[in-house]
Amino acid sequence: MLASVMRAAGFRVGLYTSPHLVSFRERVVVDGVAISESAVAAWVGRLEEVAIEREASFFEITTAAAFADLAARGAEIAIIEVGLGGRLDSTNVLTPVACGVTRIALEHTDYLGPDLAGIAREKAGIAKPGVPFVTTEPDDGVAAVLEAEARSRGAPFERVPVARGAGFALGLAGPHQVANAALVVRLAELLPPRFGVNEAAVRSGLRDARLPGRFDRRGRWLFDVAHNPDGIRSLVSALRVTSVPRPVVAVVSILRDKAWREMLELLAPAVDAMMLTRAPSAPADRVWSLEEAEAWARSAGLPVSAESDFDQALALAGRGAATALVTGSFHTVGDAMARLPGVAPLG
């Protein structure tokens, strides 16, 4: 959303996000144009020696290459999404002009800690002295943790009311996007005067923003990368307020280290059937046990069937649904987009 707003304001905008759905190139974009394959190869080649010497991680190499490419392509402002956490994330080498945190959810607990307060402290580690730090976190206790951490780092703190996002036409669907829009509106206001973002640019950017795989409707296919309970709740809320043709059949594959039982329980009432499967690109050590998932879901009375062959699962859902929903992880949505004609993010 923020990248779209800044483009509407006339700036050359870089955008760094992760993970990707189908192509690595999706992660590094300038004015809507993804990094080229040759540029990826060139930057990685240039970094190879020092990366080996310092035993750099995949994401560290990716971040260095991304920053180099955004600079080389003349981005006037870059919107950088933190990869994991914040305090120790590779992107945190930056001194930004503003920082934003949406809502905190239990995620990556093996790295970030088992509770929301601990995760909030890690997220707030991106705060910098004198740099505005804003959030739309709805929980008072979690917001207090963010505030304490930000202020301890010398960052001006502000909690943005969700109402700031109301009244705007949004290109991204779902009730949760109103809170995201509120954050974007305030971030745009807090940018240094040289950026001069006006309300017309904000309205145009929010209206035109698109993001593949986020309540993304393509004919009778609906893609949403919801990969944790909080994401599923947002998906369910969006389904409840959006008129999608019924029946809705969900093709679902979730990584085994996620709270998949809770996710299936949350999703079941919002759809007419669930087809459980395995996403081919899911890491071997994180693929869920389809047999265990099916047995548990059936014992819980959920409307499920299972098909281990991913392509067959897509075909069955596509034949039996007025709306075929693909969800559960980036792997699931990306693998489906790569297989279905005309829906891959980069064509």
Side-chain angles (χ1 to χ4, degrees):
M1 285 183 179
L2 187 56
S4 181
V5 166
M6 298 311 296
R7 286 187 69 188
F11 294 95
R12 185 164 174 81
V13 182
L15 179 64
Y16 178 46
T17 59
S18 61
H20 60 271
L21 290 168
V22 178
S23 169
F24 176 89
R25 295 173 54 224
E26 300 164 33
R27 296 175 179 238
V28 187
V29 175
V30 175
D31 273 2
V33 179
I35 187 173
S36 66
E37 290 185 1
S38 60
V40 173
W43 291 123
V44 172
R46 184 168 176 178
L47 291 165
E48 183 176 13
E49 184 177 344
V50 70
I52 292 172
E53 176 188 321
R54 300 190 182 189
E55 298 182 341
S57 69
F58 168 82
F59 193 72
E60 287 169 339
I61 298 167
T62 297
T63 300
F67 289 177
D69 188 73
L70 297 181
R73 286 202 277 164
E76 296 170 287
I77 186 169
I79 288 79
I80 306 297
E81 181 189 35
V82 171
L84 189 156
R87 181 175 64 94
L88 299 177
D89 190 77
S90 303
T91 61
N92 205 26
V93 298
L94 291 176
T95 299
V97 293
C99 294
V101 172
T102 55
R103 60 180 295 150
I104 305 294
L106 286 176
E107 180 74 327
H108 302 298
T109 53
D110 48 341
Y111 293 102
L112 304 181
D115 58 81
L116 292 176
I119 294 174
R121 279 188 286 272
E122 291 296 322
K123 297 281 188 182
I126 63 173
K128 302 290 189 302
V131 175
F133 184 102
V134 298
T135 184
T136 47
E137 171 55 53
D139 183 273
D140 290 341
V142 176
V145 173
L146 290 171
E147 180 175 9
E149 191 68 27
R151 293 195 186 281
S152 74
R153 295 169 181 269
F157 175 86
E158 185 176 339
R159 191 176 178 192
V160 182
V162 172
R164 290 299 306 274
F168 291 93
L170 304 182
L172 297 179
H176 59 290
Q177 299 294 359
V178 176
N180 291 334
L183 191 73
V184 168
V185 170
R186 188 59 183 138
L187 282 170
E189 292 171 345
L190 288 169
L191 292 176
R194 67 181 181 274
F195 291 108
V197 181
N198 58 33
E199 184 178 341
V202 171
R203 290 192 175 278
S204 176
L206 291 176
R207 184 191 64 234
D208 295 340
R210 299 289 184 274
L211 190 59
R214 279 70 164 185
F215 208 79
D216 182 2
R217 297 174 70 177
R218 313 284 187 98
R220 62 178 174 150
W221 290 94
L222 173 60
F223 304 96
D224 195 285
V225 297
H227 61 283
N228 58 26
D230 198 59
I232 291 290
R233 289 187 189 95
S234 295
L235 167 59
V236 168
S237 295
L239 284 169
R240 285 175 177 159
V241 301
T242 306
S243 296
V244 299
R246 309 298 290 236
V248 177
V249 177
V251 178
V252 184
S253 178
I254 305 171
L255 298 177
R256 70 186 308 160
D257 53 5
K258 303 293 184 178
W260 56 265
R261 294 173 181 84
E262 182 182 359
M263 293 168 67
L264 292 177
E265 284 185 322
L266 290 167
L267 180 61
V271 300
D272 299 292
M274 293 189 293
M275 173 75 70
L276 309 185
T277 187
R278 294 190 188 96
S281 69
D285 60 343
R286 300 181 69 196
V287 173
W288 69 349
S289 166
L290 190 57
E291 296 74 19
E292 180 184 4
E294 181 186 16
W296 179 86
R298 288 189 182 281
S299 71
L302 304 184
V304 302
S305 57
E307 172 53 63
S308 60
D309 184 276
F310 189 76
D311 295 274
Q312 183 66 6
L314 291 177
L316 290 170
R319 286 200 294 268
T323 298
L325 165 66
V326 181
T327 191
S329 77
F330 278 82
H331 295 284
T332 312
V333 171
D335 289 343
M337 284 186 157
R339 286 161 169 76
L340 297 169
V343 298
L346 298 181

